[in-house]
Amino acid sequence: METDDDVQAGANAAGVKTGGLNIDIHPLVIVNISDHGTRKKSLAKGKGVRVLGILLGVQEGRDVEICNSFELDYKVVGGAIQLNKDMLEVKAEQYKKVFDKYEPLGWYSNSPDKVPLGEVLEGDLQLHKQIAAIYENPLYLLLDTSMAPGSRELPMQIFESELHIIDDAPTFTLAKSTYKLKSEDAERISVDQVSRLSQTGTGSGSSALSSHLTSLNSAITMLQKRVQQILKPLEAMQRGDIPMDHNMLRQVQALCNRLPAVDNAEFDGELLDQQRDALLVAYLGAMTKGTNTANEVTDKYNLAFERQSRRR
């Protein structure tokens, strides 16, 4: 019976000893988790939201390579997290068709709040048991998304599953493991591009399209603020909160009189031409994609027919 301090600590949270697996993690996985957490946080209007997902990769003996991931849906019932297992099965089957060499290796979660090194979030062991009932010996990757921008350390921990006998009862524990980052040439280029982009979109790695969209967004935002500055006093005058300012009303009327100047046949014709051009490009793209798919099907059919002819 094991009663040492490390095992007792692992029964409550996570052990601190190093596991025996050789784990390689691709940057794409980290980008996926960060993007997942950022999107949920944006939808929650800046409030940190916990996200969950499944890790995909390849395992050969003690060598584990985590290459990709997909998101999971869940709900909280009575303070406990319950996974959407139907969604998990569907997504796992879809990814298996596309990436036939990848298999589920574990699950991931972000941490909206700071987590001490070597520890996990409350309820993680119960959630880990749900995953372990589906996949054997799953790994657990925890990404701390509460880190301030500019941090030079990667706020990520990975844990292995361990089963210990404590007080004559089998107990799941999580042992912190080591990992290495492994990237291919395409991933290095993509990650380097992402890392150079600043939050304002004006970093040295930003493209011309990014700069154009940023300028356009700033112009529209400024226009909206100016319109609100004109609209608010007009609404106050209409309600009778402030006295009528006839000089301001004449200036607003003069400004409004300029707007119909663009509403003419020539403007409508140019706008219609641009709309037609955009639709034409979309149609051509769809036709090109369909033609490419038809060519691939034809090639596969010819290859299969040729093999059958040789067998005969």
Side-chain angles (χ1 to χ4, degrees):
M1 181 175 62
E2 297 184 41
T3 58
D4 55 276
D5 294 338
D6 288 340
V7 174
Q8 292 289 353
N12 298 324
V16 295
K17 62 180 181 179
T18 301
L21 294 178
N22 301 319
I23 303 175
D24 294 331
I25 303 177
H26 285 253
L28 176 61
V29 179
I30 305 173
V31 173
N32 286 345
I33 301 173
S34 178
D35 175 71
H36 189 188
T38 301
R39 283 188 283 108
K40 291 295 185 180
K41 183 177 180 180
S42 177
L43 293 175
K45 298 181 179 180
K47 182 181 178 181
V49 179
R50 189 173 186 187
V51 297
L52 304 176
I54 294 295
L55 303 173
L56 299 174
V58 180
Q59 181 173 2
E60 296 181 359
R62 305 298 295 175
D63 297 330
V64 178
E65 185 175 353
I66 303 175
C67 307
N68 204 343
S69 63
F70 64 82
E71 303 172 7
L72 274 183
D73 189 19
Y74 69 91
K75 59 182 179 180
V76 180
V77 179
I81 295 178
Q82 291 187 359
L83 299 176
N84 187 342
K85 295 184 179 180
D86 294 335
M87 176 183 177
L88 171 58
E89 294 178 359
V90 171
K91 281 203 167 186
E93 184 178 355
Q94 292 174 345
Y95 270 82
K96 187 65 176 178
K97 292 180 180 178
V98 180
F99 306 101
D100 56 346
K101 295 182 179 179
Y102 294 170
E103 59 179 332
L105 299 177
W107 62 290
Y108 72 77
S109 171
N110 71 327
S111 172
D113 301 319
K114 181 66 177 178
V115 177
L117 189 65
E119 297 185 10
V120 296
L121 299 174
E122 183 179 359
D124 277 355
L125 280 176
Q126 288 72 22
L127 189 55
H128 192 80
K129 291 178 181 179
Q130 294 186 45
I131 303 294
I134 304 174
Y135 304 118
E136 184 180 0
N137 296 327
L139 298 173
Y140 173 35
L141 191 153
L142 179 62
L143 181 66
D144 188 354
T145 53
S146 66
M147 296 290 289
S151 177
R152 301 186 64 86
E153 295 183 359
L154 187 60
M156 185 176 69
Q157 304 181 73
I158 191 163
F159 300 89
E160 296 180 38
S161 304
E162 289 191 351
L163 184 63
H164 295 277
I165 304 299
I166 300 178
D167 296 332
D168 297 329
T171 303
F172 255 118
T173 63
L174 294 174
K176 186 175 181 297
S177 182
T178 58
Y179 64 88
K180 295 185 298 181
L181 293 179
K182 181 179 180 180
S183 61
E184 299 176 353
D185 293 339
E187 287 180 313
R188 294 190 189 100
I189 296 173
S190 301
V191 172
D192 182 67
Q193 176 74 5
V194 171
S195 64
R196 290 184 181 182
L197 291 174
S198 63
Q199 295 181 354
T200 58
T202 57
S204 59
S206 60
S207 62
L209 177 60
S210 176
S211 301
H212 172 69
L213 293 178
T214 301
S215 302
L216 188 61
N217 179 66
S218 300
I220 295 175
T221 303
M222 182 60 66
L223 177 61
Q224 185 179 15
K225 291 181 179 179
R226 297 294 176 87
V227 171
Q228 290 296 327
Q229 289 178 355
I230 299 175
L231 187 60
K232 287 181 179 179
L234 292 178
E235 293 176 344
M237 292 181 193
Q238 186 179 18
R239 293 192 304 267
D241 297 340
I242 59 176
M244 289 289 181
D245 187 347
H246 296 283
N247 184 29
M248 178 181 178
L249 292 176
R250 285 192 293 269
Q251 292 181 6
V252 173
Q253 181 64 37
L255 181 62
C256 292
N257 290 336
R258 299 180 183 179
L259 297 179
V262 297
D263 189 13
N264 51 39
E266 184 179 357
F267 174 78
D268 292 341
E270 292 181 359
L271 181 61
L272 185 58
D273 289 340
Q274 290 185 3
Q275 184 180 8
R276 289 173 177 173
D277 292 342
L279 290 175
L280 181 60
V281 171
Y283 292 153
L284 289 175
M287 292 175 62
T288 303
K289 185 177 180 180
T291 304
N292 185 33
T293 303
N295 289 335
E296 291 180 355
V297 173
T298 303
D299 293 339
K300 293 179 180 179
Y301 176 80
N302 291 335
L303 181 60
F305 183 78
E306 182 181 359
R307 289 180 177 178
Q308 291 180 359
S309 299
R310 291 180 178 178
R311 289 177 182 176
R312 293 177 182 176

